[in-house]
Amino acid sequence: MSKINKYIIISLAVSLFGELYFYPVESGLKFSAGVIIFNLCVLMMEDMSEVVIAILCGLGVFMTRNIFGILLLHHDIIETLVLNFPSLLYYLIYGVLLKITKLKKYKNSIVNTIFILALTDSLSNIIEAVMRNSINIHIVRIIIFVGFIRGSITYLSYLTYNKQKLFILNSEHQKRYTELNLLISNIQAEMFYLKKSMKDIEKVMSKSYSLYETYKNNEYLREKTLDIAREVHEIKKDHYRVLKGFEALINNFENEDAMTLSNIFTIIRDNTSRYIKESNKEIGISFHFQNDFAVVAHYNIFVMLNNLIINSIDDCENSAFIEISEKEDEDNIYFEVTDTGKGIEEDILPYIFNPGFTTKYDDITGKSSTGIGLSHVKNIIDDLGGNIEVKSEINVGTTFILKIPKNSLNGG
């Protein structure tokens, strides 16, 4: 929104709220709610001049009160203009005083801000009262009291606005932080297969070179096998560059700082809640931990728990429940993911960690899932020096138990 539009909206708002007023004493002096709106706008709008706002608001209030008085109440034009002119000067003086006292510089101090607002409000009202020839010690006391009240209401409103603004910013930050962590954890999961591909490429290149050695006396086969070795070597270099790029990215994030288990659970809970909602299921889920500790390689936890939880959600119907818990002993951390889903058949259990093995098929297309989720988990567990155990009973549920050495998670 442009500055001009902001100025127009502010002046309109102050003009309308300026018609919400009361007379504390028998005089022409009005105390309106428009001043509170004016103060709030000055505090909130860093890039806008308080003097310009005061001029526009003063003109707006002056014109609004004249229109109401002349057109609606049928007051005399000259009398109405004379009656409302001090209100215009009130806002002009108010804006100049706010500029002189440098309100924006002290707005983070509750005492200074309320004092400046009350002082500015009081001085402006006293000058207006002098112009209306309705000044006495009693009116001055009322003016100071009202100035303090309006200043306090203004600052409390400003604090509420800032708190709400901070809440929104924190919510957006948390959302982006969650998405970033999930993205990095997914990249890390795919790195296991890039590393596996590197080993397969090494084997192919070795076999190709072996063929070259075997048939190097045959000019045709020698050139063919050498070409294959060269092409495989180029593929290996490309894979290596991609893998090193991913590893540098992961290391940058992981070395930046560790993440507490409570934060990990919070992020996973947020992601899981969205997934459950998108699945149109009503599934309860809870997270519990014995101790909150810092995890250096936290993306490993994301990959493992996300895969296990999503599998549980897919295996559960409405009214089911999923529980994620953490326990520990002297040397190991244990994560358990328990659901009250359909369960896994006993004869299938030995194969669930095999890459590509799946029992999931799309109801519409009939296409099977990739079957790499649990193999991801198994790869990570092996890499961390731990192990995974699964217990399942048909129509009762399934429990996955991850056992991980402490020094694999905390970098010790």
Side-chain angles (χ1 to χ4, degrees):
M1 185 185 296
S2 67
K3 275 191 179 182
I4 295 176
N5 290 337
K6 287 181 181 178
Y7 280 126
I8 292 173
I9 291 172
I10 291 170
S11 61
L12 288 174
V14 172
S15 300
L16 292 175
F17 277 91
E19 295 310 301
L20 300 176
Y21 53 81
F22 69 100
Y23 294 89
V25 289
E26 294 181 0
S27 70
L29 202 60
K30 299 176 180 178
F31 292 92
S32 73
V35 177
I36 296 175
I37 304 301
F38 171 78
N39 288 334
L40 274 175
C41 292
V42 171
L43 288 173
M44 291 189 297
M45 306 296 180
E46 285 280 357
D47 59 335
M48 301 179 74
S49 167
E50 49 268 72
V51 176
V52 175
I53 295 176
I55 293 172
L56 293 175
C57 290
L59 289 171
V61 170
F62 180 64
M63 292 172 61
T64 301
R65 290 180 180 175
N66 287 333
I67 290 172
F68 284 169
I70 296 169
L71 297 182
L72 298 181
L73 302 177
H74 306 291
H75 291 166
D76 180 75
I77 295 177
I78 300 300
E79 288 181 0
T80 303
L81 292 174
V82 172
L83 178 66
N84 293 322
F85 183 71
S87 298
L88 170 59
L89 288 183
Y90 167 83
Y91 278 97
L92 297 181
I93 295 168
Y94 204 124
V96 172
L97 289 176
L98 288 181
K99 182 72 174 178
I100 293 172
T101 54
K102 299 180 180 179
L103 173 68
K104 292 182 178 180
K105 180 180 178 181
Y106 301 103
K107 69 179 184 178
N108 291 325
S109 168
I110 182 170
V111 175
N112 289 339
T113 304
I114 292 177
F115 175 76
I116 291 173
L117 289 174
L119 177 65
T120 305
D121 194 346
S122 300
L123 288 175
S124 302
N125 266 317
I126 290 171
I127 294 173
E128 182 181 354
V130 170
M131 293 181 63
R132 295 183 186 278
N133 294 318
S134 11
I135 189 74
N136 57 54
I137 190 64
H138 178 62
I139 289 179
V140 170
R141 288 173 181 167
I142 298 250
I143 285 173
I144 294 174
F145 175 74
V146 172
F148 176 78
I149 295 299
R150 286 202 292 203
S152 300
I153 292 174
T154 296
Y155 200 73
L156 288 175
S157 301
Y158 176 68
L159 289 178
T160 302
Y161 162 79
N162 271 349
K163 186 175 181 180
Q164 183 65 21
K165 183 179 177 181
L166 183 62
F167 173 77
I168 293 172
L169 288 174
N170 285 339
S171 297
E172 286 298 318
H173 174 74
Q174 181 65 32
K175 182 180 177 183
R176 291 174 185 173
Y177 188 59
T178 299
E179 291 172 349
L180 178 62
N181 276 284
L182 292 172
L183 173 63
I184 298 299
S185 64
N186 288 335
I187 290 174
Q188 191 185 53
E190 296 302 326
M191 284 172 57
F192 283 105
Y193 287 89
L194 277 175
K195 290 176 180 178
K196 182 179 181 299
S197 295
M198 286 287 291
K199 294 178 181 178
D200 293 339
I201 290 171
E202 288 281 1
K203 291 179 182 178
V204 172
M205 193 168 68
S206 177
K207 290 178 181 178
S208 176
Y209 188 77
S210 178
L211 284 173
Y212 166 76
E213 287 292 327
T214 302
Y215 298 103
K216 63 182 178 181
N217 293 325
N218 184 315
E219 184 177 351
Y220 176 78
L221 292 178
R222 181 184 64 199
E223 289 302 318
K224 288 295 182 183
T225 52
L226 189 58
D227 283 343
I228 293 172
R230 287 170 180 162
E231 290 176 7
V232 172
H233 181 67
E234 288 300 315
I235 295 172
K236 176 190 172 183
K237 287 197 299 183
D238 290 339
H239 267 67
Y240 183 80
R241 282 194 293 268
V242 172
L243 185 59
K244 287 301 175 183
F246 281 151
E247 286 179 344
L249 177 65
I250 297 297
N251 289 336
N252 284 339
F253 279 95
E254 287 192 338
N255 292 335
E256 187 173 328
D257 53 48
M259 184 181 294
T260 61
L261 182 63
S262 58
N263 283 337
I264 293 173
F265 275 8
T266 297
I267 291 173
I268 294 176
R269 181 189 293 111
D270 291 343
N271 181 60
T272 302
S273 297
R274 286 195 294 271
Y275 186 84
I276 291 174
K277 186 176 181 180
E278 291 168 1
S279 301
N280 295 317
K281 292 183 176 181
E282 295 180 3
I283 299 173
I285 187 165
S286 67
F287 291 78
H288 309 282
F289 55 83
Q290 180 179 329
N291 290 307
D292 193 13
F293 59 92
V295 183
V296 176
H298 44 270
Y299 294 108
N300 290 320
I301 305 298
F302 279 112
V303 175
M304 293 187 293
L305 294 185
N306 274 328
N307 274 292
L308 293 177
I309 293 170
I310 288 174
N311 279 346
S312 291
I313 294 171
D314 293 341
D315 198 48
C316 288
E317 301 295 340
N318 286 337
S319 301
F321 193 81
I322 301 172
E323 182 179 11
I324 298 90
S325 62
E326 176 271 339
K327 298 177 182 178
E328 57 187 85
D329 58 26
E330 187 177 349
D331 300 315
N332 301 294
I333 303 291
Y334 300 88
F335 290 99
E336 291 189 11
V337 179
T338 301
D339 65 62
T340 57
K342 302 172 186 176
I344 304 172
E345 295 178 8
E346 188 176 352
D347 56 341
I348 291 177
L349 282 175
Y351 309 102
I352 61 175
F353 295 109
N354 292 347
F357 179 82
T358 184
T359 59
K360 299 178 185 177
Y361 295 88
D362 190 286
D363 293 335
I364 299 175
T365 64
K367 185 179 179 180
S368 65
S369 68
T370 58
I372 61 174
L374 289 178
S375 63
H376 274 330
V377 177
K378 186 66 167 62
N379 281 332
I380 295 173
I381 282 290
D382 291 343
D383 194 53
L384 293 174
N387 60 59
I388 183 169
E389 180 184 354
V390 57
K391 301 175 183 178
S392 187
E393 188 175 343
I394 296 298
N395 297 324
V396 175
T398 303
T399 298
F400 284 91
I401 304 171
L402 309 176
K403 178 183 176 182
I404 308 171
K406 284 186 176 180
N407 57 10
S408 297
L409 294 180
N410 61 24

